[in-house]
PDB file of all heavy atoms in Angstrom:
ATOM      1  N   TYR A  15       8.375 -31.407  23.283  1.00  0.00           N
ATOM      2  CA  TYR A  15       8.869 -32.615  23.879  1.00  0.00           C
ATOM      3  C   TYR A  15       8.944 -33.876  23.005  1.00  0.00           C
ATOM      4  O   TYR A  15       9.205 -34.982  23.402  1.00  0.00           O
ATOM      5  CB  TYR A  15       8.028 -32.889  25.125  1.00  0.00           C
ATOM      6  CG  TYR A  15       6.472 -32.833  24.831  1.00  0.00           C
ATOM      7  CD1 TYR A  15       5.849 -33.936  24.265  1.00  0.00           C
ATOM      8  CD2 TYR A  15       5.763 -31.712  25.102  1.00  0.00           C
ATOM      9  CE1 TYR A  15       4.493 -33.776  24.058  1.00  0.00           C
ATOM     10  CE2 TYR A  15       4.469 -31.513  24.842  1.00  0.00           C
ATOM     11  CZ  TYR A  15       3.788 -32.642  24.244  1.00  0.00           C
ATOM     12  OH  TYR A  15       2.475 -32.583  23.952  1.00  0.00           O
ATOM     13  N   GLY A  16       8.639 -33.695  21.733  1.00  0.00           N
ATOM     14  CA  GLY A  16       8.676 -34.875  20.725  1.00  0.00           C
ATOM     15  C   GLY A  16       7.208 -35.272  20.533  1.00  0.00           C
ATOM     16  O   GLY A  16       6.213 -34.733  20.917  1.00  0.00           O
ATOM     17  N   LYS A  17       7.195 -36.585  19.908  1.00  0.00           N
ATOM     18  CA  LYS A  17       5.886 -37.160  19.724  1.00  0.00           C
ATOM     19  C   LYS A  17       6.046 -38.703  19.551  1.00  0.00           C
ATOM     20  O   LYS A  17       7.152 -39.175  19.308  1.00  0.00           O
ATOM     21  CB  LYS A  17       5.289 -36.547  18.368  1.00  0.00           C
ATOM     22  CG  LYS A  17       5.938 -36.977  17.095  1.00  0.00           C
ATOM     23  CD  LYS A  17       5.197 -36.391  15.880  1.00  0.00           C
ATOM     24  CE  LYS A  17       5.863 -36.895  14.596  1.00  0.00           C
ATOM     25  NZ  LYS A  17       5.142 -36.527  13.475  1.00  0.00           N
ATOM     26  N   VAL A  18       4.931 -39.291  19.674  1.00  0.00           N
ATOM     27  CA  VAL A  18       4.953 -40.841  19.536  1.00  0.00           C
ATOM     28  C   VAL A  18       4.185 -41.143  18.108  1.00  0.00           C
ATOM     29  O   VAL A  18       3.097 -40.505  17.917  1.00  0.00           O
ATOM     30  CB  VAL A  18       4.083 -41.486  20.625  1.00  0.00           C
ATOM     31  CG1 VAL A  18       3.978 -42.914  20.434  1.00  0.00           C
ATOM     32  CG2 VAL A  18       4.823 -41.305  22.030  1.00  0.00           C
ATOM     33  N   THR A  19       4.800 -41.887  17.381  1.00  0.00           N
ATOM     34  CA  THR A  19       4.237 -42.247  16.002  1.00  0.00           C
ATOM     35  C   THR A  19       3.796 -43.673  15.988  1.00  0.00           C
ATOM     36  O   THR A  19       4.467 -44.571  16.488  1.00  0.00           O
ATOM     37  CB  THR A  19       5.400 -42.042  14.992  1.00  0.00           C
ATOM     38  OG1 THR A  19       5.885 -40.775  15.037  1.00  0.00           O
ATOM     39  CG2 THR A  19       4.853 -42.361  13.570  1.00  0.00           C
ATOM     40  N   VAL A  20       2.655 -43.906  15.457  1.00  0.00           N
ATOM     41  CA  VAL A  20       2.108 -45.245  15.403  1.00  0.00           C
ATOM     42  C   VAL A  20       2.558 -45.880  13.963  1.00  0.00           C
ATOM     43  O   VAL A  20       2.499 -45.190  12.964  1.00  0.00           O
ATOM     44  CB  VAL A  20       0.511 -45.215  15.340  1.00  0.00           C
ATOM     45  CG1 VAL A  20       0.064 -46.634  15.218  1.00  0.00           C
ATOM     46  CG2 VAL A  20       0.042 -44.574  16.648  1.00  0.00           C
ATOM     47  N   LYS A  21       3.234 -46.955  14.099  1.00  0.00           N
ATOM     48  CA  LYS A  21       3.729 -47.640  12.931  1.00  0.00           C
ATOM     49  C   LYS A  21       2.958 -48.826  12.419  1.00  0.00           C
ATOM     50  O   LYS A  21       3.545 -49.826  11.778  1.00  0.00           O
ATOM     51  CB  LYS A  21       5.255 -48.087  13.307  1.00  0.00           C
ATOM     52  CG  LYS A  21       6.094 -46.968  13.609  1.00  0.00           C
ATOM     53  CD  LYS A  21       7.615 -47.359  13.876  1.00  0.00           C
ATOM     54  CE  LYS A  21       7.721 -48.535  14.869  1.00  0.00           C
ATOM     55  NZ  LYS A  21       9.177 -48.843  15.146  1.00  0.00           N
ATOM     56  N   LEU A  22       1.697 -48.815  12.728  1.00  0.00           N
ATOM     57  CA  LEU A  22       0.918 -50.079  12.367  1.00  0.00           C
ATOM     58  C   LEU A  22       0.907 -50.234  10.790  1.00  0.00           C
ATOM     59  O   LEU A  22       1.087 -51.336  10.385  1.00  0.00           O
ATOM     60  CB  LEU A  22      -0.523 -49.795  12.723  1.00  0.00           C
ATOM     61  CG  LEU A  22      -1.547 -50.924  12.388  1.00  0.00           C
ATOM     62  CD1 LEU A  22      -1.043 -52.169  13.086  1.00  0.00           C
ATOM     63  CD2 LEU A  22      -2.951 -50.560  12.916  1.00  0.00           C
ATOM     64  N   ALA A  23       0.907 -49.226  10.019  1.00  0.00           N
ATOM     65  CA  ALA A  23       0.961 -49.283   8.564  1.00  0.00           C
ATOM     66  C   ALA A  23       2.191 -50.056   8.104  1.00  0.00           C
ATOM     67  O   ALA A  23       2.073 -50.972   7.296  1.00  0.00           O
ATOM     68  CB  ALA A  23       0.845 -47.880   7.912  1.00  0.00           C
ATOM     69  N   LYS A  24       3.386 -49.709   8.686  1.00  0.00           N
ATOM     70  CA  LYS A  24       4.542 -50.226   8.308  1.00  0.00           C
ATOM     71  C   LYS A  24       4.562 -51.792   8.548  1.00  0.00           C
ATOM     72  O   LYS A  24       5.029 -52.609   7.761  1.00  0.00           O
ATOM     73  CB  LYS A  24       5.756 -49.606   9.000  1.00  0.00           C
ATOM     74  CG  LYS A  24       7.092 -50.078   8.659  1.00  0.00           C
ATOM     75  CD  LYS A  24       8.151 -49.362   9.415  1.00  0.00           C
ATOM     76  CE  LYS A  24       9.587 -49.844   9.127  1.00  0.00           C
ATOM     77  NZ  LYS A  24      10.623 -49.077   9.875  1.00  0.00           N
ATOM     78  N   VAL A  25       4.024 -52.186   9.779  1.00  0.00           N
ATOM     79  CA  VAL A  25       4.016 -53.506  10.201  1.00  0.00           C
ATOM     80  C   VAL A  25       3.141 -54.395   9.320  1.00  0.00           C
ATOM     81  O   VAL A  25       3.410 -55.398   8.860  1.00  0.00           O
ATOM     82  CB  VAL A  25       3.508 -53.709  11.730  1.00  0.00           C
ATOM     83  CG1 VAL A  25       3.400 -55.103  12.161  1.00  0.00           C
ATOM     84  CG2 VAL A  25       4.626 -53.014  12.584  1.00  0.00           C
ATOM     85  N   LEU A  26       1.852 -53.760   9.096  1.00  0.00           N
ATOM     86  CA  LEU A  26       0.910 -54.582   8.264  1.00  0.00           C
ATOM     87  C   LEU A  26       1.381 -54.659   6.891  1.00  0.00           C
ATOM     88  O   LEU A  26       1.247 -55.840   6.251  1.00  0.00           O
ATOM     89  CB  LEU A  26      -0.438 -53.870   8.297  1.00  0.00           C
ATOM     90  CG  LEU A  26      -1.294 -53.866   9.562  1.00  0.00           C
ATOM     91  CD1 LEU A  26      -2.576 -53.138   9.419  1.00  0.00           C
ATOM     92  CD2 LEU A  26      -1.544 -55.345  10.027  1.00  0.00           C
ATOM     93  N   ASP A  27       1.916 -53.601   6.251  1.00  0.00           N
ATOM     94  CA  ASP A  27       2.357 -53.608   4.958  1.00  0.00           C
ATOM     95  C   ASP A  27       3.554 -54.718   4.694  1.00  0.00           C
ATOM     96  O   ASP A  27       3.559 -55.364   3.739  1.00  0.00           O
ATOM     97  CB  ASP A  27       2.802 -52.218   4.426  1.00  0.00           C
ATOM     98  CG  ASP A  27       1.625 -51.387   4.300  1.00  0.00           C
ATOM     99  OD1 ASP A  27       0.525 -51.788   4.387  1.00  0.00           O
ATOM    100  OD2 ASP A  27       1.907 -50.063   4.132  1.00  0.00           O
ATOM    101  N   SER A  28       4.397 -54.730   5.724  1.00  0.00           N
ATOM    102  CA  SER A  28       5.592 -55.594   5.615  1.00  0.00           C
ATOM    103  C   SER A  28       5.224 -57.067   5.728  1.00  0.00           C
ATOM    104  O   SER A  28       5.822 -57.938   5.157  1.00  0.00           O
ATOM    105  CB  SER A  28       6.645 -55.273   6.680  1.00  0.00           C
ATOM    106  OG  SER A  28       6.112 -55.618   7.938  1.00  0.00           O
ATOM    107  N   ARG A  29       3.995 -57.236   6.361  1.00  0.00           N
ATOM    108  CA  ARG A  29       3.522 -58.638   6.481  1.00  0.00           C
ATOM    109  C   ARG A  29       2.376 -58.994   5.525  1.00  0.00           C
ATOM    110  O   ARG A  29       1.924 -60.112   5.453  1.00  0.00           O
ATOM    111  CB  ARG A  29       2.913 -58.850   7.850  1.00  0.00           C
ATOM    112  CG  ARG A  29       4.042 -58.749   8.861  1.00  0.00           C
ATOM    113  CD  ARG A  29       3.461 -58.789  10.241  1.00  0.00           C
ATOM    114  NE  ARG A  29       4.493 -58.657  11.275  1.00  0.00           N
ATOM    115  CZ  ARG A  29       4.564 -59.189  12.435  1.00  0.00           C
ATOM    116  NH1 ARG A  29       3.578 -60.028  12.822  1.00  0.00           N
ATOM    117  NH2 ARG A  29       5.450 -58.966  13.290  1.00  0.00           N
ATOM    118  N   GLY A  30       2.040 -58.118   4.609  1.00  0.00           N
ATOM    119  CA  GLY A  30       1.043 -58.323   3.611  1.00  0.00           C
ATOM    120  C   GLY A  30      -0.405 -58.570   4.280  1.00  0.00           C
ATOM    121  O   GLY A  30      -1.186 -59.168   3.683  1.00  0.00           O
ATOM    122  N   ILE A  31      -0.601 -57.844   5.385  1.00  0.00           N
ATOM    123  CA  ILE A  31      -1.922 -57.907   6.012  1.00  0.00           C
ATOM    124  C   ILE A  31      -2.757 -56.780   5.767  1.00  0.00           C
ATOM    125  O   ILE A  31      -2.228 -55.606   6.033  1.00  0.00           O
ATOM    126  CB  ILE A  31      -1.840 -58.229   7.540  1.00  0.00           C
ATOM    127  CG1 ILE A  31      -0.977 -59.584   7.799  1.00  0.00           C
ATOM    128  CG2 ILE A  31      -3.074 -58.325   8.269  1.00  0.00           C
ATOM    129  CD1 ILE A  31      -0.598 -59.812   9.236  1.00  0.00           C
ATOM    130  N   THR A  32      -4.023 -56.803   5.343  1.00  0.00           N
ATOM    131  CA  THR A  32      -4.860 -55.647   5.146  1.00  0.00           C
ATOM    132  C   THR A  32      -5.497 -55.131   6.547  1.00  0.00           C
ATOM    133  O   THR A  32      -5.576 -55.984   7.469  1.00  0.00           O
ATOM    134  CB  THR A  32      -5.981 -55.978   4.150  1.00  0.00           C
ATOM    135  OG1 THR A  32      -6.876 -56.929   4.774  1.00  0.00           O
ATOM    136  CG2 THR A  32      -5.316 -56.548   2.809  1.00  0.00           C
ATOM    137  N   ARG A  33      -5.940 -53.896   6.430  1.00  0.00           N
ATOM    138  CA  ARG A  33      -6.612 -53.464   7.525  1.00  0.00           C
ATOM    139  C   ARG A  33      -7.860 -54.178   7.876  1.00  0.00           C
ATOM    140  O   ARG A  33      -8.243 -54.481   8.974  1.00  0.00           O
ATOM    141  CB  ARG A  33      -6.957 -51.940   7.334  1.00  0.00           C
ATOM    142  CG  ARG A  33      -5.748 -51.052   7.364  1.00  0.00           C
ATOM    143  CD  ARG A  33      -6.137 -49.763   6.968  1.00  0.00           C
ATOM    144  NE  ARG A  33      -5.955 -49.712   5.445  1.00  0.00           N
ATOM    145  CZ  ARG A  33      -6.059 -48.665   4.694  1.00  0.00           C
ATOM    146  NH1 ARG A  33      -6.491 -47.488   5.204  1.00  0.00           N
ATOM    147  NH2 ARG A  33      -5.880 -48.799   3.382  1.00  0.00           N
ATOM    148  N   ASN A  34      -8.552 -54.611   6.754  1.00  0.00           N
ATOM    149  CA  ASN A  34      -9.835 -55.322   6.944  1.00  0.00           C
ATOM    150  C   ASN A  34      -9.445 -56.753   7.565  1.00  0.00           C
ATOM    151  O   ASN A  34     -10.279 -57.170   8.532  1.00  0.00           O
ATOM    152  CB  ASN A  34     -10.446 -55.607   5.587  1.00  0.00           C
ATOM    153  CG  ASN A  34     -11.836 -56.082   5.708  1.00  0.00           C
ATOM    154  OD1 ASN A  34     -12.651 -55.572   6.514  1.00  0.00           O
ATOM    155  ND2 ASN A  34     -12.202 -57.109   4.930  1.00  0.00           N
TER     156      ASN A  34
END
Side-chain angles (χ1 to χ4, degrees):
Y15 46 83
K17 69 178 185 175
V18 174
T19 302
V20 179
K21 303 186 300 182
L22 181 61
K24 182 178 180 181
V25 173
L26 289 182
D27 293 348
S28 71
R29 295 176 183 212
I31 299 172
T32 65
R33 288 170 272 177
N34 192 49

